[in-house]
Amino acid sequence: MHQPGVMVDIETMGTSPRAAVLSIGACFFDLGAEPGEVVSTFAANISLESNHRAGRAIEPSTVLWWLSQSKDAQNAFLAGPHEALRAALTRFNAWHQALSPVPHRVWAKDPDFDVVILRDAFHQENIVFPFKYFMSRSVRTILDLAFGDEIPAPPNPGVAHSATDDAVKQAALVQMAYRQLGVD
């Protein structure tokens, strides 16, 4: 593995940095691997109660948006077990620290959403955020550079709005973009 990265995806109850986090999904992948090939995944469903106790925001417009999504998408975060926000973040850090080689990038679609909200949650819970500011990369940007408006379908797309399925799908798209751009 010569270009290790972590793809993160979260599902939330809002769009502000203080939004309640319903689920965290992530995968560890090599940018040069076959599209869809990942080394390790992380999944956590987080209780709304722990988000509420932490003062995280639940926005009515996002609740209504979730009600319009597929049952599979809703079940992805409704299915248990649910854990406290602090426990999920601590477990995420342990997962990240065990990765080898150390990932040089954290990818998200988009870092201005996923990474910002995760960073806020880590800081709020007084847990060290595992990524430095310069490590963030945008899935949207690389897809635009590689494919423009003609983004191909990824292999095995999984359930839309399942955080781990979305992370794996987005990693596959980045791997496809790297191939398209001839980046090694």
Side-chain angles (χ1 to χ4, degrees):
M1 181 179 286
H2 68 285
Q3 293 195 50
V6 170
M7 180 69 68
V8 296
D9 188 81
I10 61 173
E11 301 303 333
T12 67
M13 278 295 190
T15 58
S16 73
R18 196 46 58 106
V21 180
L22 296 173
S23 58
I24 302 170
C27 67
F28 181 48
F29 70 108
D30 184 356
L31 294 165
E34 288 294 317
E37 183 181 315
V38 299
V39 177
S40 176
T41 60
F42 176 86
N45 284 339
I46 302 164
S47 74
L48 273 178
E49 292 82 9
S50 72
N51 276 280
H52 179 71
R53 284 192 302 275
R56 304 213 52 95
I58 298 173
E59 298 172 16
S61 61
T62 305
V63 173
L64 293 172
W65 179 85
W66 272 112
L67 292 173
S68 73
Q69 299 306 301
S70 74
K71 289 296 179 196
D72 286 341
Q74 294 173 12
N75 289 336
F77 72 82
L78 289 173
H82 292 90
E83 58 190 302
L85 178 61
R86 181 172 187 75
L89 298 175
T90 300
R91 199 164 57 78
F92 181 85
N93 259 0
W95 174 79
H96 178 262
Q97 288 171 0
L99 299 176
S100 180
V102 175
H104 303 293
R105 297 174 182 95
V106 57
W107 292 85
K109 186 180 177 185
D110 196 83
D112 287 342
F113 181 80
D114 301 83
V115 174
V116 167
I117 294 171
L118 271 180
R119 181 181 293 116
D120 185 79
F122 271 87
H123 289 181
Q124 184 184 29
E125 294 291 330
N126 295 313
I127 301 171
V128 175
F129 188 59
F131 306 109
K132 304 292 185 207
Y133 71 92
F134 55 83
M135 297 171 77
S136 294
R137 300 293 186 270
S138 171
V139 173
R140 284 190 174 98
T141 300
I142 195 163
L143 293 180
D144 189 44
L145 290 170
F147 305 114
D149 293 333
E150 303 296 323
I151 298 169
N156 305 315
V159 175
H161 306 300
S162 162
T164 304
D165 285 357
D166 282 353
V168 171
K169 172 178 64 182
Q170 291 160 192
L173 288 168
V174 168
Q175 291 165 325
M176 292 165 69
Y178 260 60
R179 284 178 179 227
Q180 177 73 16
L181 294 169
V183 179
D184 186 22

